[in-house]
Each structure stands twice: as C-alpha cells, then as structure tokens.
Amino acid sequence: MPIGATNAYSKGMPERSIAARLKRMVRVAAQAFAVSSMMLISPAQAQRPQRIIAVGDLHGDLDAWLTIANAAGVIGPDGHWAGGSTTLVQLGDIADRGPGTLGIIQSLQQLQQEAPKAKGSVVVVLGNHEAMNLVGDNRYTTPGEYAAFVDDRSVARREREYAANRKKLEAAARAVNPNVKPSEVLDQFMARTPLGWIEHRNAWRPSGSIGKWATSNPAIVKIGTTLFAHGGISAEYAKLPMEEITRRIAAAMAVGDDTPTSLLSDPLGPLWYRGLVASDPDSQAERAAMKPPSITLPPDQELDAVLAAYGANHLVIGYTPSLKGIQVLDNGKLVRIDTGISSYYGGPLSWLEIIGERMIPHTVPRSP
C-alpha cells in the first residue's frame, strides 16, 4: 500500500552533457548487443519473435514463485535456468507479507547469472516494497522474513546491539516513563528486535548485499515494443528518458533517501503510480500542489502519451492487484499482471507470455 505522503516532484534536470553521454552509452551498448546476438544465431532464428515471460508481485511466497517459474518453463526441477533464450521479467514487490522473500531473491539472483549462458536474460524491475525495505520501512515485513536471516551468531549479535545502545534506550524510555525498570527496557528491545532483524536490516541497507542488488535493478525497462514498470508511468515522468528515471531512482536508493521529496515515495513515480488503472488521490494531490498545477489526463489519453513518448505499443504493470487474473486492456496497450499471487492475497498463480505483439495470460494451480 502507498506510504500516503505526497511529495512535490521538483528535481532539476541533469546537465545536457551527462544526459547525452548516457544516451550514447545506452545506444552503443544496444547496438553492440544486437550485433553480437545476430552473430550467434541463424537467420531463421533471428526472425523468430522474442519470448518474454513476465511475473507480477510475489510478496514473499517462494512456493508460488517456484510453481510459476516451473510452469512457465524458465526453471527446471532442480531450480536452475531452463528458459533458453527467453527473457524473464519480474515486476518487483518481491518483499513483505510472506516469509519467502530471501529465497525468491536468491533464486532470481542465481537465474540472472545462469540465463545469459543460454542466451536468455532475467530482468527484475524495482518495486515500492523493495524501496521501503531499503529505507527501513518495515511495516509489512513478517517474522518469517527476519527468521530467514538467523544464524548461529544472531543471539550474540543482538546482545551486542543492545549493549551498544543501552544508555540511549534507557534514557528514551525514562523520558516516557520515569519509573521504567532497566529489565523492562530490555524486554521492549527484544520484542522490537526479533532474531534476524539486525541481519535483515544490514542486508537491506543501501550498502548491504540486497540493498546494492535492489539499487541495480531498473525502475522502467523496454523490451521490444513493450514497457515494464512496477506501478505505472505518469505523464509527468514520461517527459524524462527511461535511463534518466532509473538513474535518479538508483541515486536515491544508493543513499537511502527517505525525505518527503524523495523519488522513492513520489506518488507520480513508477514505483507508486496508480493513475492508469484507478482513482489515485495521492497523485491527484501531488499534481494539485505543483506550480502551476499539473493537468490530470484521462487514463486512456495518458497511456497513449506514455506509449508515444517511449515508442512502445504496450505497458505491463504490477502493483495494483487484480484477483480475477491478468487483465489485458485496450487491445493490449495496458496489461495488469499483479493477480495477488502471494498466499497473503490468495489470488491466482499467473504469468504473462509475450511473443511478438501477442499478450498471452497463463495460470497454474497453487500447490497443495
């Protein structure tokens, strides 16, 4: 769910020379990749439409992820990459609401290493819950997610944490209740700091192993004629190049920016925007606060403007659950693939297959 804060989008544009260099780097890399790929495949294969598998929000349900990945043919029974030249796109919100977050991340990281060896690729798009975990907003983090990080040194690690902060904790507690006992302060600390909490926080902070990985994931990606974003793309953000949006959000992730104006909580940003699929009071308030106020386009016009800005035919998003299944809307211009996959929601286990311009929804029964 959205943090709820509305933040003015007032970041300055980068220097033109930097933007130009970024564009040249992306263009050269894309050309080099295209040339090298054509050298590795036959002319007949080169004409074959690319196969993309897109999976929506997983929210800590490792069993659901493995069931979907097996059914979609991107992993085998041993958990290793089996998708050949397929491109797998996971649309973020791996974290929170379920105990299997760490296992899903480790699986995706492994597949990112394995897929290129078979001429495939794995792209993980940044979601709002990854950004929340990085800045320490753990409102939706479950005990099982902390427990996944417990090791044989967790008890001693927690004791050291308390000892290092005991005086501050006791002073803060006495400011609320002058008669509080040291033992009560300790009990409060233990309740707030379950085993694995420290390890989880260290892994997710910007300098941590998961924090760095999350920061490296794009906010928006275009593959063929299809755009992928976690929440959506607003008309305001569509004025920026995709690589610039990702650069700005990565910069905010790298420093754990949780200020009111952070791109990580901007209701118009690609991590949080709902305006293409639902009434969105947060983004409306954000637009009203702009000087001059930004005009809210009807969703169909805004979608057309976004697609035109990036030269795309389709936009695939997650974030807003559709428990009835994948929604292919407006002749495939907009595809919603968050179907409440996690057992927390109990929606259908689904994935989207894209072959050329065809959008093909799939479901698989949930494992008993």
Side-chain angles (χ1 to χ4, degrees):
M1 298 297 292
I3 287 176
T6 58
N7 306 306
Y9 177 61
S10 59
K11 305 291 182 180
M13 290 294 288
E15 294 182 6
R16 292 184 178 180
S17 60
I18 296 175
R21 284 199 298 271
L22 284 170
K23 289 180 180 179
R24 284 197 298 271
M25 290 169 63
V26 171
R27 184 170 62 251
V28 171
Q31 291 171 345
F33 177 80
V35 171
S36 62
S37 298
M38 291 299 292
M39 292 174 64
L40 292 168
I41 57 180
S42 68
Q45 289 174 316
Q47 296 174 7
R48 186 179 304 161
Q50 183 179 17
R51 180 177 186 255
I52 303 170
I53 296 295
V55 180
D57 309 36
L58 296 169
H59 281 303
D61 194 329
L62 177 59
D63 288 341
W65 157 242
L66 294 176
T67 299
I68 290 169
N70 270 280
V74 293
I75 67 170
D78 58 0
H80 290 284
W81 180 255
S85 61
T86 296
T87 296
L88 169 65
V89 181
Q90 198 285 317
L91 278 184
D93 274 13
I94 300 162
D96 294 337
R97 305 195 190 280
T101 295
L102 180 59
I104 298 170
I105 290 173
Q106 291 172 336
S107 172
L108 288 168
Q109 289 174 328
Q110 172 187 302
L111 297 178
Q112 284 179 323
Q113 297 295 317
E114 295 176 345
K117 299 174 185 177
K119 309 300 184 295
S121 62
V122 176
V123 179
V124 181
V125 176
L126 184 64
N128 62 299
H129 279 262
E130 284 72 57
M132 290 169 70
N133 274 259
L134 182 131
V135 300
D137 183 349
N138 297 120
R139 285 175 288 160
Y140 304 104
T141 307
T142 64
E145 290 176 275
Y146 296 131
F149 285 87
V150 173
D151 59 32
D152 56 5
R153 292 174 289 179
S154 292
V155 172
R157 200 175 282 121
R158 183 170 65 171
E159 289 175 350
R160 288 196 302 272
E161 181 76 10
Y162 179 75
N165 294 279
R166 180 178 60 81
K167 291 182 179 180
K168 292 181 181 179
L169 292 168
E170 290 179 353
R174 284 195 300 270
V176 177
N177 176 11
N179 299 317
V180 69
K181 299 177 181 179
S183 61
E184 293 174 329
V185 177
L186 175 60
D187 290 342
Q188 292 170 6
F189 173 80
M190 293 298 180
R192 293 193 306 267
T193 315
L195 289 177
W197 184 94
I198 294 170
E199 294 84 351
H200 178 278
R201 184 71 201 105
N202 287 339
W204 273 101
R205 69 176 68 253
S207 60
S209 58
I210 295 178
K212 289 180 179 178
W213 175 75
T215 299
S216 72
N217 291 330
I220 302 174
V221 68
K222 180 184 176 185
I223 303 172
T225 60
T226 303
L227 292 168
F228 298 87
H230 173 66
I233 305 174
S234 65
E236 289 79 4
Y237 271 72
K239 296 174 183 177
L240 297 171
M242 283 185 293
E243 60 268 21
E244 175 62 13
I245 295 172
T246 287
R247 187 197 68 77
R248 292 188 186 192
I249 291 179
M253 292 279 286
V255 297
D257 183 5
D258 60 354
T259 61
T261 57
S262 173
L263 272 67
L264 302 185
S265 56
D266 187 348
L268 292 172
L271 308 188
W272 293 95
Y273 189 57
R274 291 190 197 274
L276 294 174
V277 297
S279 176
D280 189 3
D282 288 333
S283 63
Q284 291 170 4
E286 185 72 12
R287 283 172 170 146
M290 292 180 176
K291 297 187 183 304
S294 183
I295 298 173
T296 300
L297 295 173
D300 58 339
Q301 293 181 25
E302 184 172 31
L303 176 61
D304 286 342
V306 168
L307 294 175
Y310 296 120
N313 296 336
H314 317 279
L315 172 60
V316 178
I317 59 173
Y319 183 43
T320 304
S322 170
L323 300 186
K324 294 181 180 180
I326 289 174
Q327 302 290 302
V328 181
L329 307 172
D330 199 2
N331 295 318
K333 287 183 181 179
L334 182 68
V335 188
R336 298 173 55 187
I337 67 169
D338 178 2
T339 61
I341 287 169
S342 172
S343 58
Y344 175 89
Y345 292 104
L349 304 191
S350 62
W351 72 96
L352 177 71
E353 184 177 24
I354 304 174
I355 301 178
E357 297 294 309
R358 291 189 295 150
M359 304 282 151
I360 310 165
H362 295 272
T363 59
V364 62
R366 193 177 293 272
S367 299

